[in-house]
């Protein structure tokens, strides 16, 4: 999952450059840039899995918002400077979604193994912590976080 998230941050540079010169709604572009900045800051500060999930979800939403808006501009559909980075980013978004599903499935299985016999004894002896799923909590979805930029709220 980390590899795909890193890949997305690299792919965002040419995508944002193409978006800024595309004539799309400046508010949508600002949301994308703000979400990328927030995601990057959360990762650099290692603020925890729930905060990282919220930041990454906001970034995915901003990317999808720009892609949806770009579908309404026929000129962009024929511009390789936009379609190349957009296609790469769409593929990476799908890979991230798959990686998150795999991570969450494994976290669920580990959590289940921690509570069933005989693995429960081994987990207790080794002090295996309960894994955190990579999801945004409902409280952070509806409220503005102190770590979240105001333009994303």
């Amino acid at each position: 999952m980390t590899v795909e998230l890193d890949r997305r941050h690299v792919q965002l540079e040419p995508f944002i450059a193409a978006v800024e010169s595309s004539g799309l709604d400046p508010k949508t572009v600002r949301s994308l840039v703000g979400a990328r900045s927030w995601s990057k800051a959360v990762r650099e500060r290692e603020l925890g899995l729930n905060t990282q999930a919220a930041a990454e979800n906001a970034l995915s939403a901003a990317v999808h918002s720009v892609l949806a808006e770009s579908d309404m501009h026929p000129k962009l559909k024929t511009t390789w400077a936009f379609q190349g980075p957009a296609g790469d980013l769409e593929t990476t978004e799908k890979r991230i979604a798959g990686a998150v599903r795999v991570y969450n499935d494994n976290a669920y299985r580990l959590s289940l193994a921690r509570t069933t016999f005989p693995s429960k004894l081994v987990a207790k002896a080794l002090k295996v912590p309960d894994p955190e799923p990579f999801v945004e909590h409902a409280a952070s979805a509806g409220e503005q976080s102190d770590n979240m930029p105001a333009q994303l709220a």
Side-chain angles (χ1 to χ4, degrees):
M1 185 167 48
T2 303
V3 171
E4 295 302 330
L5 293 174
D6 289 342
R7 179 177 288 136
R8 177 169 60 182
H9 277 276
V10 170
Q11 291 173 340
L12 278 169
E13 295 298 325
F15 181 71
I16 289 173
V19 167
E20 287 176 334
S21 64
S22 70
L24 292 178
D25 179 21
K27 183 180 176 186
T28 306
V29 176
R30 280 193 309 273
S31 292
L32 176 61
V33 172
R36 182 192 57 150
S37 297
W38 182 41
S39 169
K40 197 171 187 179
V42 166
R43 292 181 76 204
E44 288 172 354
R45 295 179 184 152
E46 299 175 359
L47 294 178
L49 200 55
N50 290 329
T51 305
Q52 184 180 356
E56 297 301 340
N57 288 341
L59 181 53
S60 285
V63 167
H64 290 289
S65 176
V66 168
L67 292 173
E69 186 179 331
S70 72
D71 286 342
M72 293 183 271
H73 290 76
K75 191 176 181 181
L76 286 179
K77 291 182 180 182
T78 60
T79 306
W80 177 252
F82 180 83
Q83 286 301 315
D88 292 343
L89 204 50
E90 283 180 299
T91 301
T92 300
E93 285 293 318
K94 290 175 186 173
R95 295 173 100 183
I96 289 169
V100 168
R101 277 192 300 275
V102 169
Y103 175 87
N104 286 338
D105 287 347
N106 288 333
Y108 172 75
R109 286 187 185 113
L110 179 59
S111 182
L112 189 61
R114 289 183 68 247
T115 61
T116 58
F117 184 81
S119 57
K120 177 180 180 177
L121 301 173
V122 175
K124 191 172 185 175
L126 295 176
K127 298 179 183 172
V128 176
D130 198 27
E132 284 186 70
F134 194 80
V135 294
E136 181 178 2
H137 285 298
S140 62
E143 300 173 0
Q144 181 177 351
S145 167
D146 293 337
N147 302 320
M148 185 173 154
Q151 71 254 27
L152 292 177

